[in-house]
Amino acid sequence: MTADTFTPPGTNLTDEALVAAIAGASDRNAFAELFRRYAGRVKGFLMKSGAPADLSEEVAQEVMVLIWRKARQFDPTRASAGTWIYTIARNRRIDLLRRQNRPAPDPKDPMFSQEPEPDPAATLAVSERDARVRTVLADLNEDQRQVVELSFYAGLSHGEIAEETGIALGTVKSRMRLALGRLRSALGEGFSGELQDD
């Protein structure tokens, strides 16, 4: 927050004008007025939806901080300032419920077991192979590189590639065969098992 103040305290500006002053000039007085108008209401809204008073107070404070930070995102053509503020509060309430209903972690869950340290030689081999693959891909002509990238990086089938690019299915298959042949010859037979040419 900046030290600049523009809006007189206790102003009769609309909520929308206050949000605009916060967004445009980081106006502390505008924020103080908006806080005075909404912090208690937001806390009451949260309490009515079942949150305890102390937690409602804490979440209301978070909501007001979010209003300060996100004031530039407010669009008065889509909703009133009040609706926007209560939407932020509702979303924070949903986040709170998710945190409360999340089960405690099970220490026996395999997700919590430590991964073994990777073998440096294997890591180096993978890194070198990836560099070779990138080099060979860069050497393919644009048509062949396109079908390989759509197949292996985007996960599209030959038919989907044909539909996506407007190229005939037979042409897609032909380009793929040529590209995979170049990859195999450049990367060796050991690599060919990883390439599926269907």
Side-chain angles (χ1 to χ4, degrees):
M1 297 185 194
T2 68
D4 299 331
T5 56
F6 302 94
T7 307
T11 182
N12 289 326
L13 291 176
T14 65
D15 296 341
E16 290 73 19
L18 292 173
V19 174
I22 295 165
S26 298
D27 188 329
R28 288 175 179 253
N29 284 335
F31 179 72
E33 177 63 19
L34 202 65
F35 190 97
R36 185 190 64 72
R37 291 181 190 181
Y38 279 96
R41 291 187 206 172
V42 168
K43 178 181 175 183
F45 167 75
L46 294 165
M47 288 176 66
K48 282 181 187 172
S49 64
D54 58 337
L55 193 57
S56 294
E57 176 79 29
E58 183 182 328
V59 174
Q61 297 285 335
E62 288 178 28
V63 168
M64 298 313 293
V65 169
L66 284 171
I67 290 165
W68 174 265
R69 290 183 182 157
K70 296 184 173 200
R72 286 186 179 92
Q73 295 176 11
F74 172 62
D75 181 356
T77 64
R78 296 182 67 192
S80 70
T83 301
W84 179 67
I85 291 168
Y86 283 112
T87 299
I88 293 172
R90 182 184 59 82
N91 290 341
R92 296 302 296 163
R93 172 69 178 139
I94 290 168
D95 291 344
L96 175 67
L97 286 172
R98 285 184 184 143
R99 281 197 305 260
Q100 288 175 338
N101 294 330
R102 188 176 297 144
D106 179 3
K108 295 178 183 175
D109 188 327
M111 292 293 290
F112 290 106
S113 63
Q114 242 183 350
E115 291 284 327
E117 286 294 318
D119 175 26
T123 303
L124 179 62
V126 168
S127 176
E128 288 173 348
R129 187 197 68 179
D130 289 349
R132 286 192 348 248
V133 169
R134 281 192 296 276
T135 300
V136 175
L137 281 174
D139 288 341
L140 293 175
N141 69 43
E142 182 61 35
D143 294 338
Q144 293 171 0
R145 185 171 45 253
Q146 180 186 34
V147 295
V148 169
E149 288 175 348
L150 288 172
S151 177
F152 290 97
Y153 296 136
L156 300 182
S157 69
H158 291 167
E160 290 168 332
I161 294 170
E163 189 175 315
E164 177 80 19
T165 60
I167 301 168
L169 179 59
T171 305
V172 169
K173 289 184 176 184
S174 173
R175 289 178 183 174
M176 185 66 77
R177 255 190 309 281
L178 290 169
L180 293 179
R182 288 192 62 194
L183 285 166
R184 284 189 185 105
S185 65
L187 299 170
E189 283 304 312
F191 187 74
S192 65
E194 299 178 37
L195 301 173
Q196 298 300 316
D197 185 10
D198 46 11

